[in-house]
Amino acid sequence: MNPSRVIRLRHGACVPLAELPRLEFSSFRNTLLDEVAGEARVVSLFGHPGGEGLDLYAVLARDWKGELVLLHTRVKESFPSLTPECPQVHLFERELAEQYGVRPQGHPWLKPVRFHQRWVKGADIWGRRDDEHPIPGDMDFYRVEGEEVHEVAVGPVHAGVIEPGHFRFQCHGEEVMHLEISLGYQHRGIEQMLRGGPHPASIYQLEAAAGDTTIGHATAYSQLIESLAGVKVSLRTHAIRAIALELERLANHVGDIGALAGDVGFLPTASFCGRLRGDYLNLTAELCGSRFGRGLVRPGGVQFDLDPARAETLTQRLKVLAAETRGAIELCFDSPSVLARFEGTGRVTADDAEALGLVGVAARACGLVRDVRLHRNFGNGETRFDTPVIETDGDVFARGNVRRREIYASHRLIDEDLKRLPAGEIRTALPALAPESLGISLCEGWRGELVHVGITDAQGRLARYKIVDPSFHNWSALAMALRGEQISDFPLCNKSFNLSYCGFDL
Amino acid sequence: MLNIVRERLRQGHRTGTFPKEAPKLPERFRGLPTIAQNLTPAECAEVAAACPFAALGCSDSQLQIDLGRCLFCADCPAAARGALTFSGDYRLAVRKREDLLLEDKAHRLADKLDKRMRKLFGRSLKLRQVSAGGCNACEADLNVLGTLVFDLGRFGIQFVASPRHADGLIVTGAVTENMKGALLETYAAVPEPKLVIASGACAIAGGPFRDSPEAHNGIGDLLPVDLYIPGCPPHPYTALDGLLRLLGRL
Ligand code: SF4
Ligand code: SF4
């Protein structure tokens, strides 16, 4: 590949659009496919209406070099789909079709993603009318025909206190042959609302992109705004963000292990973990007043400092919690009846994980070494994050065990960060954003990689804001995991991923 | 088995003492605001205009806050200028929309249901939760009520799977275009008489997604609401306090 065609950058960098070469589509396509055949993966792919046509931007990560690669091209009404050769872009292309009415020609499963109003009037490749809001899920579903094949439809309103989504199973008896997941019910139009910003409401919308990932999304957003503004925040800010990020991971991972235990009827762990999860949320509330970390992370810094007394309280409470958490978790992982249900259930192969571009816990459970904390600076700069947790079986057990081991790792990371809190300011003033520039920010949220990309206009306002939540890639893995499984194992498989509906729907 | 018993003893008894004793909330928790009285009309107007969610208003020079729209922000510009102060009081839930408008008067907490409704639901209230376009933090903190710390079941309140088994709905989220239909159908499936509870700023007035073209500003225009639980998300104790007040148990 021709090096002059690609822009290589480090995480947190910001490039003037003028320096970005616009490739012919064929060279964009070939470079992307070459990169993916090599060591790169697609972390974001999105459009932005240009002069005539639609500007496409692809962000690829070369994880082991800690590098990002940026590709840019322009398309008109249609372009040859990359999905047949590069399945990990399948949803990105569906998104482009839905948002801008361009057709990825040859896409094997071209349906809307979120069923929202058209972003460009009069352009709907499915021939739906402009003056009516699309009906969610209103499209043909994949169907298996044959004797004794039946279909099970679930949702959008589910049985528990959870978010809405629609699941269609094609079953042969108890066995699931195919699962199709249709989402969009939580679509609030966040990316569109961010346009013209940063608005005063923007950070709150980002904090609520996926409520259980408040710290993650707020950090990704803040890093992006900081890079567009050309500001470096203090090491103390980094450390406080890192502590909050690990607390968020702890609360969610502990809750997930409790939910997995509950699903197989192992009640002691389910009930202990339910309580412990709340205790971790309360630690975050000690930090900033909100159990979900609302109001802590802001572009330019953090809003609450960790004074020595508070740091000491945190350390002490964490010590007690760490021991109790270990007790609660080990009970379940020591129990043969639990392990028998976890092992071998809902398996995703490493090849499928790679092809689908999985990230986070789901990817690490399939043996893929993908962790933003590893590939970029973490915490206060002294705490070394050098041991991502990897399991190889790709089943419910592996996903549970990645969480279990990450919980223990987070205990250590927070403890070290608290011991070595660097001195410094916690807030830096933000100048105006660089005009006509593109910035990229990544953050390892508890589910996985969060990717935010922003493009500014001539006045330095956000003209396009693109969010990729880990759930965007990983819902496809749940569908794969169900193939050949009993439909009764769906709840267990689903919990082992515990993906976000709102993070996907935006 | 022995390990389980040992661990059970170590984890101890964790159910909270609420409502006998007030819960202890973190020092930085932001609850019921108190409003300053000494603003000039110009100051008041300026402060009110600074809220990104239109939660503040002025009549003469009296600042007014709409707790239904308020997200209890850590960086509230009005709080930064001393025009209001967040207290640690988690008791926020009310029965009427207008009771969420707070000025200088005392906050009017939720009244109990009338006698007939209390007779029906006072000792057993089954709620169907519908999540309609929020961020899932509201749901998460409702789920927490089922853990052993809060142990909702001891008050006879339970979340159920089917609207047909429910006495009412507890709704979260701003109601996206895509969830409006499902929400109304779920409501229709609950047998009469039924209650509706709006939990969180989104469900009350749109929350951070206020005025999104893809969402409504909460359930107020769509369903008759019997209880409003403010917050983004409401603290579990805020929700529990509201539910118990509704049932006349506080
Ligand atoms: S806390 Fe937030 S929503 Fe409430 S008045 Fe202040 S700025 Fe407005
Ligand atoms: S009120 Fe706040 S916490 Fe609740 S769903 Fe809306 S954004 Fe999330």
Side-chain angles (χ1 to χ4, degrees), chain A residues 74-88:
Chain A
R74 185 172 285 175
V75 295
K76 296 264 167 58
E77 304 80 59
S78 81
F79 61 93
S81 167
L82 296 160
T83 300
E85 280 139 286
C86 180
Q88 58 185 293

Side-chain angles (χ1 to χ4, degrees), chain A residues 186 188 204-205 207-211 292 294, chain B residues 70-71 133-139 172-174 199-204 206-209 229-234:
Chain A
Q186 296 275 70
R188 295 141 292 166
Y204 302 94
Q205 290 161 355
E207 286 185 321
F292 293 87
R294 302 289 156 93
Chain B
C70 186
L71 309 187
C135 77
N136 201 32
C138 273
E139 291 84 334
T172 55
S199 187
C202 279
I204 300 174
F209 309 112
I229 309 177
C232 180

Side-chain angles (χ1 to χ4, degrees), chain A residues 204, chain B residues 50-56 65-66 69-79 84 86:
Chain A
Y204 302 94
Chain B
C51 168
F53 306 101
L56 297 174
I65 182 164
D66 181 346
R69 291 185 187 175
C70 186
L71 309 187
F72 299 80
C73 315
D75 42 4
C76 173
L84 59 85
F86 289 105

Side-chain angles (χ1 to χ4, degrees), chain A residues 110-168:
Chain A
L110 192 53
K111 288 177 58 167
V113 180
R114 304 186 177 94
F115 299 87
H116 54 65
Q117 273 156 1
R118 260 70 62 193
W119 290 9
V120 183
K121 289 286 165 226
D124 188 76
I125 64 162
W126 297 281
R128 297 172 303 173
R129 284 169 48 180
D130 258 351
D131 53 349
E132 281 170 12
H133 194 279
I135 301 165
D138 181 24
M139 270 296 141
D140 287 342
F141 284 81
Y142 186 85
R143 271 189 89 142
V144 180
E145 300 282 354
E147 226 175 297
E148 289 177 32
V149 174
H150 63 107
E151 187 174 276
V152 179
V154 188
V157 180
H158 299 157
V161 182
I162 55 168
E163 296 181 88
H166 183 78
F167 299 84
R168 261 314 153 96

